[in-house]
């Protein structure tokens, strides 16, 4: 944000009242972020120390329910370590991640720059090589990850500190949304088959193991939090297959 402000300041110098206006905008944004953080802490923030650091099982029944996209986004945002590099190709599952990460420790966030898919795993490799002391979190859609699994071999070969979170909804949901935008419909048999990843389903843990990477499967909030903590304690790569409803 500071870099953006510097560019804006350079552009508006000499314009009467522009710097005062910019200052007021930044103060408003800062207050907005603080309100968002306060709201999260009061209405649904996850008690990470109670679950990850002590290892005590969750008592609330809702934490053992199947994972939905908002829950996955919130857990990733609230557990990611300080100075993490988040490579975000989560697509339809991760729509709320940016908003929910406003109170996360300082981190770098890399997203798609165009319409292509499959950049997540190799981009995570590049980040880990460039910044070996920082944990890289690859928040990754399953359909997109299919395009670039060889990156996992490099992760294992170089012992890179990468946590790959595969959002396994077992379909190309982004393509179904595009079909709807074009008025093509997505409920027909052929449309469903063309965008399905269930015949056969992809076993991401088996793929990770084949490339020499440890992994875990998460179907509930508790399992996801524990798997993330396990990955952050790992000196090398770790893959988590998250079963998303």
């Amino acid at each position: 944000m500071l870099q953006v402000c510097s560019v804006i300041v350079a552009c508006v110098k000499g314009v009467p009242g522009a710097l005062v206006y910019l200052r007021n905008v930044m103060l408003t944004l800062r207050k907005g972020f603080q309100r968002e953080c306060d709201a999260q802490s009061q209405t649904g923030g996850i008690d990470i120390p109670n679950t990850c650091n002590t290892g005590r099982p969750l008592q609330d029944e809702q934490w053992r329910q199947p994972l939905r996209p908002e829950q996955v986004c919130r857990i990733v945002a609230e557990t990611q370590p300080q100075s993490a590099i988040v490579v975000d190709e989560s697509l339809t599952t991760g729509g709320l991640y940016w908003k929910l990460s406003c109170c996360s420790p300082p981190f770098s966030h890399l997203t798609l720059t165009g319409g292509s898919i499959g950049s997540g795993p190799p981009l995570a490799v590049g980040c880990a090589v460039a910044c070996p002391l920082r944990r890289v979190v690859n928040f990754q859609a399953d359909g997109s990850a299919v395009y670039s699994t060889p990156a996992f071999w490099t992760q294992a070969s170089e012992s890179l500190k990468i946590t790959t979170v595969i959002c396994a909804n077992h379909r190309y949901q982004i393509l179904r949304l595009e079909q709807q935008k074009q008025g093509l419909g997505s409920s027909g048999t052929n449309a469903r088959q063309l965008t399905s990843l269930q015949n056969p389903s992809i076993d991401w843990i088996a793929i990770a193991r084949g490339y020499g990477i440890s992994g875990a499967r998460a179907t509930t909030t508790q399992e996801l939090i524990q798997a993330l903590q396990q990955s952050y304690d790992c000196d090398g790569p770790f893959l988590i297959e998250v079963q998303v409803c």
Side-chain angles (χ1 to χ4, degrees):
M1 184 176 290
L2 291 176
Q3 292 176 337
V4 174
C5 290
S6 299
V7 173
I8 296 175
V9 169
C11 294
V12 300
K13 278 185 176 179
V15 180
L19 293 180
V20 174
Y21 174 76
L22 176 62
R23 176 179 178 275
N24 291 336
V25 169
M26 296 310 300
L27 288 175
T28 301
L29 288 173
R30 183 176 181 180
K31 291 178 181 178
F33 279 122
Q34 186 59 53
R35 285 197 298 269
E36 183 67 27
C37 291
D38 293 342
Q40 283 194 37
S41 64
Q42 295 172 7
T43 62
I46 294 174
D47 187 0
I48 298 303
N50 182 50
T51 57
C52 290
N53 295 343
T54 67
R56 289 180 291 180
L58 299 173
Q59 300 300 317
D60 193 334
E61 184 63 27
Q62 68 176 1
W63 288 30
R64 293 189 288 273
Q65 292 179 354
L67 287 160
R68 298 187 180 279
E70 180 179 358
Q71 292 172 295
V72 177
C73 291
R74 185 182 296 278
I75 294 169
V76 171
E78 293 194 10
T79 58
Q80 65 190 52
Q82 185 168 344
S83 299
I85 302 175
V86 178
V87 175
D88 187 356
E89 197 183 11
S90 55
L91 299 178
T92 54
T93 297
L96 290 172
Y97 169 76
W98 175 245
K99 177 181 179 181
L100 295 172
S101 67
C102 70
C103 298
S104 299
F107 70 102
S108 301
H109 188 204
L110 284 72
T111 62
L112 287 172
T113 57
S116 61
I117 58 177
S119 65
L123 180 56
V125 168
C127 292
V129 170
C131 303
L133 299 182
R134 300 173 65 181
R135 169 60 64 169
V136 178
V137 180
N138 178 199
F139 194 18
Q140 182 66 45
D142 57 348
S144 301
V146 173
Y147 286 75
S148 49
T149 58
F152 296 146
W153 183 89
T154 305
Q155 295 179 17
S157 178
E158 301 297 327
S159 298
L160 301 178
K161 296 172 63 176
I162 299 174
T163 296
T164 301
V165 181
I166 297 289
C167 305
N169 59 10
H170 305 290
R171 58 186 177 271
Y172 282 106
Q173 184 62 22
I174 189 67
L175 296 184
R176 292 186 180 183
L177 292 177
E178 291 299 325
Q179 287 176 326
Q180 293 174 2
K181 289 179 182 179
Q182 298 300 321
L184 301 176
S186 60
S187 58
T189 301
N190 290 337
R192 289 197 303 271
Q193 290 178 346
L194 287 171
T195 56
S196 174
L197 293 173
Q198 290 185 305
N199 187 28
S201 295
I202 299 172
D203 187 338
W204 287 100
I205 303 304
I207 290 177
R209 189 181 302 114
Y211 281 113
I213 296 178
S214 300
R217 182 173 287 107
T219 60
T220 66
T221 300
Q222 180 177 0
E223 291 174 353
L224 178 54
I225 293 174
Q226 292 173 342
L228 283 167
Q229 188 62 51
Q230 182 181 356
S231 77
Y232 299 149
D233 292 337
C234 180
D235 289 332
F238 195 94
L239 184 143
I240 304 169
E241 179 183 321
V242 182
Q243 297 294 322
V244 182
C245 294

